[in-house]
PDB file of all heavy atoms in Angstrom:
ATOM      1  N   TYR N1427     153.799 179.292 107.765  1.00 82.00           N
ATOM      2  CA  TYR N1427     152.516 179.403 107.074  1.00 82.00           C
ATOM      3  C   TYR N1427     151.646 180.356 107.874  1.00 82.00           C
ATOM      4  O   TYR N1427     150.789 179.962 108.649  1.00 82.00           O
ATOM      5  CB  TYR N1427     151.867 178.019 106.936  1.00 82.00           C
ATOM      6  CG  TYR N1427     152.650 177.133 106.027  1.00 82.00           C
ATOM      7  CD1 TYR N1427     153.397 176.083 106.530  1.00 82.00           C
ATOM      8  CD2 TYR N1427     152.687 177.360 104.646  1.00 82.00           C
ATOM      9  CE1 TYR N1427     154.162 175.273 105.705  1.00 82.00           C
ATOM     10  CE2 TYR N1427     153.426 176.555 103.803  1.00 82.00           C
ATOM     11  CZ  TYR N1427     154.159 175.510 104.333  1.00 82.00           C
ATOM     12  OH  TYR N1427     154.906 174.717 103.509  1.00 82.00           O
ATOM     13  N   THR N1428     151.912 181.612 107.697  1.00 85.00           N
ATOM     14  CA  THR N1428     151.257 182.657 108.481  1.00 85.00           C
ATOM     15  C   THR N1428     151.030 183.871 107.595  1.00 85.00           C
ATOM     16  O   THR N1428     151.701 184.037 106.580  1.00 85.00           O
ATOM     17  CB  THR N1428     152.126 183.041 109.688  1.00 85.00           C
ATOM     18  OG1 THR N1428     151.425 184.016 110.474  1.00 85.00           O
ATOM     19  CG2 THR N1428     153.463 183.649 109.275  1.00 85.00           C
ATOM     20  N   SER N1429     150.106 184.691 107.984  1.00 86.00           N
ATOM     21  CA  SER N1429     149.954 186.001 107.370  1.00 86.00           C
ATOM     22  C   SER N1429     150.814 186.940 108.168  1.00 86.00           C
ATOM     23  O   SER N1429     150.793 186.919 109.397  1.00 86.00           O
ATOM     24  CB  SER N1429     148.495 186.446 107.425  1.00 86.00           C
ATOM     25  OG  SER N1429     147.692 185.565 106.686  1.00 86.00           O
ATOM     26  N   ALA N1430     151.576 187.740 107.473  1.00 87.00           N
ATOM     27  CA  ALA N1430     152.434 188.715 108.121  1.00 87.00           C
ATOM     28  C   ALA N1430     152.244 190.045 107.407  1.00 87.00           C
ATOM     29  O   ALA N1430     151.858 190.078 106.237  1.00 87.00           O
ATOM     30  CB  ALA N1430     153.892 188.275 108.047  1.00 87.00           C
ATOM     31  N   PRO N1431     152.504 191.138 108.090  1.00 87.00           N
ATOM     32  CA  PRO N1431     152.395 192.427 107.411  1.00 87.00           C
ATOM     33  C   PRO N1431     153.306 192.447 106.182  1.00 87.00           C
ATOM     34  O   PRO N1431     154.354 191.806 106.166  1.00 87.00           O
ATOM     35  CB  PRO N1431     152.881 193.424 108.462  1.00 87.00           C
ATOM     36  CG  PRO N1431     152.661 192.737 109.773  1.00 87.00           C
ATOM     37  CD  PRO N1431     152.894 191.287 109.490  1.00 87.00           C
ATOM     38  N   SER N1432     152.894 193.165 105.156  1.00 84.00           N
ATOM     39  CA  SER N1432     153.715 193.228 103.938  1.00 84.00           C
ATOM     40  C   SER N1432     154.907 194.150 104.111  1.00 84.00           C
ATOM     41  O   SER N1432     155.886 194.042 103.377  1.00 84.00           O
ATOM     42  CB  SER N1432     152.865 193.690 102.755  1.00 84.00           C
ATOM     43  OG  SER N1432     152.282 194.948 103.024  1.00 84.00           O
ATOM     44  N   GLU N1433     154.860 195.025 105.103  1.00 84.00           N
ATOM     45  CA  GLU N1433     155.964 195.938 105.368  1.00 84.00           C
ATOM     46  C   GLU N1433     156.273 195.928 106.858  1.00 84.00           C
ATOM     47  O   GLU N1433     155.403 195.666 107.683  1.00 84.00           O
ATOM     48  CB  GLU N1433     155.598 197.359 104.944  1.00 84.00           C
ATOM     49  CG  GLU N1433     155.346 197.472 103.446  1.00 84.00           C
ATOM     50  CD  GLU N1433     155.037 198.892 103.055  1.00 84.00           C
ATOM     51  OE1 GLU N1433     155.144 199.808 103.901  1.00 84.00           O
ATOM     52  OE2 GLU N1433     154.658 199.076 101.896  1.00 84.00           O
ATOM     53  N   PRO N1434     157.520 196.235 107.203  1.00 83.00           N
ATOM     54  CA  PRO N1434     157.874 196.265 108.634  1.00 83.00           C
ATOM     55  C   PRO N1434     157.105 197.368 109.340  1.00 83.00           C
ATOM     56  O   PRO N1434     156.621 198.309 108.716  1.00 83.00           O
ATOM     57  CB  PRO N1434     159.377 196.532 108.612  1.00 83.00           C
ATOM     58  CG  PRO N1434     159.695 197.092 107.284  1.00 83.00           C
ATOM     59  CD  PRO N1434     158.631 196.586 106.341  1.00 83.00           C
ATOM     60  N   PRO N1435     156.993 197.240 110.664  1.00 81.00           N
ATOM     61  CA  PRO N1435     156.309 198.283 111.442  1.00 81.00           C
ATOM     62  C   PRO N1435     157.001 199.625 111.267  1.00 81.00           C
ATOM     63  O   PRO N1435     158.195 199.690 110.982  1.00 81.00           O
ATOM     64  CB  PRO N1435     156.410 197.790 112.881  1.00 81.00           C
ATOM     65  CG  PRO N1435     157.169 196.522 112.858  1.00 81.00           C
ATOM     66  CD  PRO N1435     157.547 196.190 111.459  1.00 81.00           C
ATOM     67  N   THR N1436     156.239 200.697 111.452  1.00 77.00           N
ATOM     68  CA  THR N1436     156.801 202.032 111.272  1.00 77.00           C
ATOM     69  C   THR N1436     157.745 202.391 112.417  1.00 77.00           C
ATOM     70  O   THR N1436     158.658 203.173 112.224  1.00 77.00           O
ATOM     71  CB  THR N1436     155.695 203.089 111.153  1.00 77.00           C
ATOM     72  OG1 THR N1436     154.845 202.988 112.289  1.00 77.00           O
ATOM     73  CG2 THR N1436     154.888 202.892 109.889  1.00 77.00           C
ATOM     74  N   HIS N1437     157.545 201.834 113.592  1.00 77.00           N
ATOM     75  CA  HIS N1437     158.485 202.088 114.685  1.00 77.00           C
ATOM     76  C   HIS N1437     159.576 201.017 114.660  1.00 77.00           C
ATOM     77  O   HIS N1437     159.401 199.959 114.060  1.00 77.00           O
ATOM     78  CB  HIS N1437     157.763 202.114 116.044  1.00 77.00           C
ATOM     79  CG  HIS N1437     157.153 200.815 116.424  1.00 77.00           C
ATOM     80  ND1 HIS N1437     156.029 200.299 115.829  1.00 77.00           N
ATOM     81  CD2 HIS N1437     157.535 199.897 117.358  1.00 77.00           C
ATOM     82  CE1 HIS N1437     155.738 199.139 116.371  1.00 77.00           C
ATOM     83  NE2 HIS N1437     156.627 198.869 117.296  1.00 77.00           N
ATOM     84  N   ARG N1438     160.683 201.305 115.271  1.00 83.00           N
ATOM     85  CA  ARG N1438     161.804 200.371 115.259  1.00 83.00           C
ATOM     86  C   ARG N1438     161.430 199.115 116.040  1.00 83.00           C
ATOM     87  O   ARG N1438     161.226 199.145 117.245  1.00 83.00           O
ATOM     88  CB  ARG N1438     163.039 201.028 115.890  1.00 83.00           C
ATOM     89  CG  ARG N1438     164.182 200.057 116.020  1.00 83.00           C
ATOM     90  CD  ARG N1438     165.484 200.737 116.226  1.00 83.00           C
ATOM     91  NE  ARG N1438     166.513 199.864 116.742  1.00 83.00           N
ATOM     92  CZ  ARG N1438     166.905 198.732 116.185  1.00 83.00           C
ATOM     93  NH1 ARG N1438     166.335 198.283 115.104  1.00 83.00           N
ATOM     94  NH2 ARG N1438     167.889 198.020 116.716  1.00 83.00           N
ATOM     95  N   LEU N1439     161.351 198.003 115.339  1.00 90.00           N
ATOM     96  CA  LEU N1439     161.060 196.711 115.960  1.00 90.00           C
ATOM     97  C   LEU N1439     161.852 195.655 115.185  1.00 90.00           C
ATOM     98  O   LEU N1439     161.476 195.279 114.072  1.00 90.00           O
ATOM     99  CB  LEU N1439     159.557 196.395 115.913  1.00 90.00           C
ATOM    100  CG  LEU N1439     159.141 195.082 116.572  1.00 90.00           C
ATOM    101  CD1 LEU N1439     159.399 195.138 118.092  1.00 90.00           C
ATOM    102  CD2 LEU N1439     157.681 194.791 116.300  1.00 90.00           C
ATOM    103  N   ASP N1440     162.964 195.235 115.750  1.00 93.00           N
ATOM    104  CA  ASP N1440     163.783 194.201 115.122  1.00 93.00           C
ATOM    105  C   ASP N1440     163.023 192.900 115.212  1.00 93.00           C
ATOM    106  O   ASP N1440     162.653 192.469 116.305  1.00 93.00           O
ATOM    107  CB  ASP N1440     165.140 194.118 115.823  1.00 93.00           C
ATOM    108  CG  ASP N1440     166.131 193.258 115.090  1.00 93.00           C
ATOM    109  OD1 ASP N1440     165.911 192.959 113.894  1.00 93.00           O
ATOM    110  OD2 ASP N1440     167.152 192.887 115.688  1.00 93.00           O
ATOM    111  N   THR N1441     162.753 192.265 114.066  1.00 93.00           N
ATOM    112  CA  THR N1441     161.936 191.049 114.036  1.00 93.00           C
ATOM    113  C   THR N1441     162.801 189.858 113.667  1.00 93.00           C
ATOM    114  O   THR N1441     163.495 189.876 112.660  1.00 93.00           O
ATOM    115  CB  THR N1441     160.781 191.204 113.037  1.00 93.00           C
ATOM    116  OG1 THR N1441     160.020 192.362 113.402  1.00 93.00           O
ATOM    117  CG2 THR N1441     159.881 189.980 113.044  1.00 93.00           C
ATOM    118  N   LEU N1442     162.728 188.821 114.490  1.00 94.00           N
ATOM    119  CA  LEU N1442     163.423 187.559 114.242  1.00 94.00           C
ATOM    120  C   LEU N1442     162.356 186.473 114.122  1.00 94.00           C
ATOM    121  O   LEU N1442     161.607 186.229 115.063  1.00 94.00           O
ATOM    122  CB  LEU N1442     164.391 187.223 115.383  1.00 94.00           C
ATOM    123  CG  LEU N1442     165.111 185.887 115.283  1.00 94.00           C
ATOM    124  CD1 LEU N1442     165.953 185.796 114.014  1.00 94.00           C
ATOM    125  CD2 LEU N1442     165.964 185.663 116.513  1.00 94.00           C
ATOM    126  N   TRP N1443     162.256 185.853 112.943  1.00 91.00           N
ATOM    127  CA  TRP N1443     161.328 184.775 112.686  1.00 91.00           C
ATOM    128  C   TRP N1443     162.036 183.460 112.936  1.00 91.00           C
ATOM    129  O   TRP N1443     163.013 183.133 112.262  1.00 91.00           O
ATOM    130  CB  TRP N1443     160.842 184.809 111.231  1.00 91.00           C
ATOM    131  CG  TRP N1443     160.155 186.078 110.826  1.00 91.00           C
ATOM    132  CD1 TRP N1443     160.729 187.133 110.171  1.00 91.00           C
ATOM    133  CD2 TRP N1443     158.786 186.403 111.020  1.00 91.00           C
ATOM    134  NE1 TRP N1443     159.779 188.113 109.952  1.00 91.00           N
ATOM    135  CE2 TRP N1443     158.583 187.699 110.458  1.00 91.00           C
ATOM    136  CE3 TRP N1443     157.712 185.762 111.616  1.00 91.00           C
ATOM    137  CZ2 TRP N1443     157.347 188.335 110.480  1.00 91.00           C
ATOM    138  CZ3 TRP N1443     156.488 186.387 111.633  1.00 91.00           C
ATOM    139  CH2 TRP N1443     156.299 187.655 111.069  1.00 91.00           C
ATOM    140  N   ILE N1444     161.593 182.677 113.921  1.00 90.00           N
ATOM    141  CA  ILE N1444     162.114 181.333 114.159  1.00 90.00           C
ATOM    142  C   ILE N1444     161.187 180.393 113.395  1.00 90.00           C
ATOM    143  O   ILE N1444     160.030 180.212 113.771  1.00 90.00           O
ATOM    144  CB  ILE N1444     162.111 180.968 115.660  1.00 90.00           C
ATOM    145  CG1 ILE N1444     162.791 182.064 116.496  1.00 90.00           C
ATOM    146  CG2 ILE N1444     162.754 179.606 115.878  1.00 90.00           C
ATOM    147  CD1 ILE N1444     164.254 182.256 116.221  1.00 90.00           C
ATOM    148  N   VAL N1445     161.696 179.806 112.311  1.00 87.00           N
ATOM    149  CA  VAL N1445     160.856 179.076 111.368  1.00 87.00           C
ATOM    150  C   VAL N1445     161.237 177.593 111.358  1.00 87.00           C
ATOM    151  O   VAL N1445     162.406 177.237 111.225  1.00 87.00           O
ATOM    152  CB  VAL N1445     161.008 179.663 109.941  1.00 87.00           C
ATOM    153  CG1 VAL N1445     160.150 178.914 108.944  1.00 87.00           C
ATOM    154  CG2 VAL N1445     160.656 181.140 109.937  1.00 87.00           C
ATOM    155  N   THR N1446     160.214 176.735 111.491  1.00 85.00           N
ATOM    156  CA  THR N1446     160.452 175.286 111.517  1.00 85.00           C
ATOM    157  C   THR N1446     160.318 174.643 110.147  1.00 85.00           C
ATOM    158  O   THR N1446     160.550 173.455 110.006  1.00 85.00           O
ATOM    159  CB  THR N1446     159.460 174.592 112.473  1.00 85.00           C
ATOM    160  OG1 THR N1446     158.127 174.851 112.030  1.00 85.00           O
ATOM    161  CG2 THR N1446     159.646 175.057 113.899  1.00 85.00           C
ATOM    162  N   ASN N1447     159.970 175.398 109.122  1.00 75.00           N
ATOM    163  CA  ASN N1447     159.799 174.846 107.783  1.00 75.00           C
ATOM    164  C   ASN N1447     160.896 175.393 106.881  1.00 75.00           C
ATOM    165  O   ASN N1447     160.950 176.600 106.625  1.00 75.00           O
ATOM    166  CB  ASN N1447     158.419 175.207 107.227  1.00 75.00           C
ATOM    167  CG  ASN N1447     158.134 174.549 105.905  1.00 75.00           C
ATOM    168  OD1 ASN N1447     159.022 174.363 105.080  1.00 75.00           O
ATOM    169  ND2 ASN N1447     156.895 174.177 105.699  1.00 75.00           N
ATOM    170  N   SER N1448     161.742 174.531 106.362  1.00 70.00           N
ATOM    171  CA  SER N1448     162.879 174.977 105.552  1.00 70.00           C
ATOM    172  C   SER N1448     162.458 175.503 104.172  1.00 70.00           C
ATOM    173  O   SER N1448     163.262 176.118 103.489  1.00 70.00           O
ATOM    174  CB  SER N1448     163.872 173.825 105.366  1.00 70.00           C
ATOM    175  OG  SER N1448     163.270 172.765 104.655  1.00 70.00           O
ATOM    176  N   LYS N1449     161.216 175.309 103.782  1.00 72.00           N
ATOM    177  CA  LYS N1449     160.759 175.747 102.466  1.00 72.00           C
ATOM    178  C   LYS N1449     160.253 177.184 102.459  1.00 72.00           C
ATOM    179  O   LYS N1449     159.997 177.745 101.401  1.00 72.00           O
ATOM    180  CB  LYS N1449     159.673 174.805 101.944  1.00 72.00           C
ATOM    181  CG  LYS N1449     160.186 173.404 101.717  1.00 72.00           C
ATOM    182  CD  LYS N1449     159.085 172.480 101.281  1.00 72.00           C
ATOM    183  CE  LYS N1449     159.669 171.068 101.164  1.00 72.00           C
ATOM    184  NZ  LYS N1449     158.637 170.065 101.047  1.00 72.00           N
ATOM    185  N   ILE N1450     160.072 177.762 103.619  1.00 70.00           N
ATOM    186  CA  ILE N1450     159.570 179.136 103.692  1.00 70.00           C
ATOM    187  C   ILE N1450     160.669 180.080 103.218  1.00 70.00           C
ATOM    188  O   ILE N1450     161.808 180.010 103.639  1.00 70.00           O
ATOM    189  CB  ILE N1450     159.138 179.489 105.125  1.00 70.00           C
ATOM    190  CG1 ILE N1450     157.987 178.581 105.545  1.00 70.00           C
ATOM    191  CG2 ILE N1450     158.744 180.960 105.246  1.00 70.00           C
ATOM    192  CD1 ILE N1450     156.767 178.641 104.644  1.00 70.00           C
ATOM    193  N   THR N1451     160.306 180.973 102.316  1.00 66.00           N
ATOM    194  CA  THR N1451     161.286 181.889 101.736  1.00 66.00           C
ATOM    195  C   THR N1451     161.026 183.316 102.203  1.00 66.00           C
ATOM    196  O   THR N1451     160.001 183.632 102.793  1.00 66.00           O
ATOM    197  CB  THR N1451     161.218 181.833 100.200  1.00 66.00           C
ATOM    198  OG1 THR N1451     159.899 182.218  99.800  1.00 66.00           O
ATOM    199  CG2 THR N1451     161.552 180.443  99.689  1.00 66.00           C
TER     200      THR N1451
END
């Protein structure tokens, strides 16, 4: 339950979201 950018960063940044809520899509 967070606000996140709508698009990935313009520079290479591999993003791994560790999520505790199984309903997040």
Side-chain angles (χ1 to χ4, degrees):
Y1427 294 107
T1428 184
S1429 297
S1432 58
E1433 297 182 8
T1436 55
H1437 65 287
R1438 175 163 163 55
L1439 182 65
D1440 190 15
T1441 304
L1442 176 60
W1443 301 97
I1444 309 295
V1445 180
T1446 59
N1447 186 325
S1448 64
K1449 296 177 184 167
I1450 298 302
T1451 60

